[in-house]
């Protein structure tokens, strides 16, 4: 897979990590920056018609709002976001400059935590 935003090796690591941890429930993986995005994986039975740029704008806005709202609270530092929908779930990991979200049919809380921790490590290595 050729990627413009993310080096092939990093993209392959992200996809491999998510596919291994989430298995057949994995729906999609998207890497994003403030200005652009790249879908790294889309399961074969899904249509490529989602408004990803709209999702990205919302994820950046939500990240900044969340950071500000909870900064300095007893909850500690922000780690990741889980969103639940009628047909699946989204886990998002974001730094100040980039992020990844993966969608899945279902995952356990332990899987969310494992995937989020591993994605964070990959983003922090960059």
């Amino acid at each position: 897979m050729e990627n413009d935003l993310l080096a092939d090796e990093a993209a392959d690591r992200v996809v491999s990590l998510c596919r291994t941890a989430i298995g057949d429930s994995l729906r999609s993986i998207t890497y994003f920056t403030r200005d652009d995005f790249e879908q790294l994986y889309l399961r074969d039975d899904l249509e490529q018609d989602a408004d990803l740029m709209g999702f990205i704008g919302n994820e950046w806005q939500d990240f900044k709002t969340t950071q500000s709202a909870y900064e300095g609270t007893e909850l500690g530092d922000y780690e990741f976001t889980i969103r639940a929908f009628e047909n699946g779930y989204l886990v998002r990991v974001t730094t100040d400059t980039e992020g990844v979200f993966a969608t899945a049919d279902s995952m356990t809380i332990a899987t969310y935590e494992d995937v989020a921790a591993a994605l964070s490590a990959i983003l922090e290595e960059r």
Side-chain angles (χ1 to χ4, degrees), residues 9-10 13-14 95 98 117-126:
E9 181 180 317
R13 285 181 63 205
V14 168
T95 69
E98 61 188 345
L119 289 173
S120 291
I122 290 170
L123 293 177
E124 289 175 13
E125 288 174 5
R126 296 179 28 80

Side-chain angles (χ1 to χ4, degrees), residues 28-126:
S28 67
I29 307 166
T30 302
Y31 170 81
F32 59 97
T33 65
R34 293 178 191 271
D35 303 320
D36 209 352
F37 68 90
E38 186 154 16
Q39 191 163 53
L40 304 178
Y41 173 83
L42 181 66
R43 197 169 65 197
D44 291 338
D45 65 327
L46 300 174
E47 301 273 336
Q48 192 166 6
D49 62 351
D51 175 17
L52 292 178
M53 189 48 96
F55 289 178
I56 302 306
N58 183 63
E59 294 305 323
W60 272 123
Q61 180 181 1
D62 184 62
F63 173 71
K64 292 301 178 190
T65 301
T66 300
Q67 287 289 85
S68 297
Y70 296 102
E71 192 170 40
T73 70
E74 293 178 3
L75 292 172
D77 293 335
Y78 167 83
E79 293 183 8
F80 62 95
T81 298
I82 302 169
R83 297 190 191 286
F85 299 93
E86 179 180 358
N87 295 319
Y89 299 85
L90 178 143
V91 59
R92 177 196 74 210
V93 176
T94 311
T95 69
D96 287 337
T97 59
E98 61 188 345
V100 174
F101 65 79
T103 62
D105 295 328
S106 65
M107 286 193 279
T108 66
I109 290 296
T111 301
Y112 286 119
E113 291 172 341
D114 292 345
V115 168
L119 289 173
S120 291
I122 290 170
L123 293 177
E124 289 175 13
E125 288 174 5
R126 296 179 28 80

